[in-house]
Amino acid sequence: MKHVHKSQDGFLYDPNVRASLQSFTADAETLPLEAAAAVRQASQSIDRLRSHGATGRGLSSGALDILTRLNAAPPEGLTIGDLARTAGVTSRNVTGLVDTLESASLAERTQDKHDRRSVRVRITPEGRAWLTSFREPTQRAMSAIFQGFTSEDLTHLRHLCLRLVANQHRLEAYLSTPGAPQ
């Protein structure tokens, strides 16, 4: 943050990032790339703070994400595919995260009662207790990192981030269309 400055219009920017991007873009418009760099930095900051408490407890931010999704799931749990879709990651990635949660006794795999070929994952009582002990420090950390943000600021930030995600999904769908330029 020591390199961040305020521009004449009152908005923050990083002159080092801008200079490196100007070199990269051959002096073309750098604002979209600066915005992407800022989003990446913000995401990394939030992940570091969010996972700080989880890491000391043996969970990555990915495993924590899956555990919170299982906490909100119906009692019979969710399939690996359901978890992958809602988390926006691959089934292979979720399988590894569930392995981690299962080895820590925070989640368990069970046979699907309606489809014996399918396996469901559900949170255990130990998993619920883990989340309960993690909730308050996480809420304090998120309040601290968003200190000074109004409810309107947070609503706009959420909206803009979700627009980025929607654009990325639209672009991926377009690029996966046969004949689309790569």
Side-chain angles (χ1 to χ4, degrees):
M1 232 4 238
K2 63 183 175 184
H3 298 292
V4 174
H5 296 283
K6 197 176 275 193
S7 65
Q8 290 179 338
D9 58 7
F11 290 101
L12 299 176
Y13 75 101
D14 185 331
N16 293 330
V17 169
R18 181 170 289 169
S20 67
L21 291 174
Q22 283 172 335
S23 170
F24 173 73
T25 61
D27 295 324
E29 176 63 44
T30 63
L31 191 55
L33 294 174
E34 287 183 63
V39 167
R40 187 174 51 255
Q41 287 175 310
S43 175
Q44 290 169 345
S45 293
I46 290 168
D47 277 347
R48 274 194 304 275
L49 188 60
R50 181 177 160 210
S51 68
H52 179 69
T55 303
R57 298 165 186 241
L59 286 188
S60 67
S61 60
L64 175 60
D65 183 49
I66 296 299
L67 189 61
T68 58
R69 289 172 192 282
L70 291 172
N71 189 51
E76 66 273 9
L78 298 169
T79 66
I80 295 286
D82 291 337
L83 284 167
R85 275 186 295 285
T86 61
V89 297
T90 65
S91 293
R92 177 180 283 178
N93 186 268
V94 170
T95 297
L97 295 171
V98 169
D99 288 345
T100 298
L101 293 171
E102 202 169 34
S103 69
S105 299
L106 302 176
E108 63 185 359
R109 287 177 171 92
T110 61
Q111 262 333 111
D112 188 317
K113 292 177 184 173
H114 305 291
D115 181 358
R116 298 183 77 187
R117 296 168 296 163
S118 185
V119 173
R120 293 192 164 269
V121 182
R122 65 182 179 201
I123 192 168
T124 63
E126 293 88 346
R128 290 191 196 285
W130 190 98
L131 281 175
T132 297
S133 71
F134 186 67
R135 182 176 296 119
E136 189 178 320
T138 299
Q139 289 171 327
R140 279 196 317 266
M142 290 302 112
S143 291
I145 202 163
F146 289 108
Q147 183 178 355
F149 284 64
T150 65
S151 292
E152 185 176 289
D153 291 338
L154 293 172
T155 299
H156 286 299
L157 178 61
R158 179 190 64 209
H159 173 76
L160 293 171
C161 289
L162 291 175
R163 278 180 55 193
L164 289 173
V165 172
N167 285 348
Q168 181 264 334
H169 286 291
R170 194 172 25 261
L171 183 60
E172 272 186 355
Y174 171 73
L175 293 175
S176 66
T177 305
Q182 299 293 316

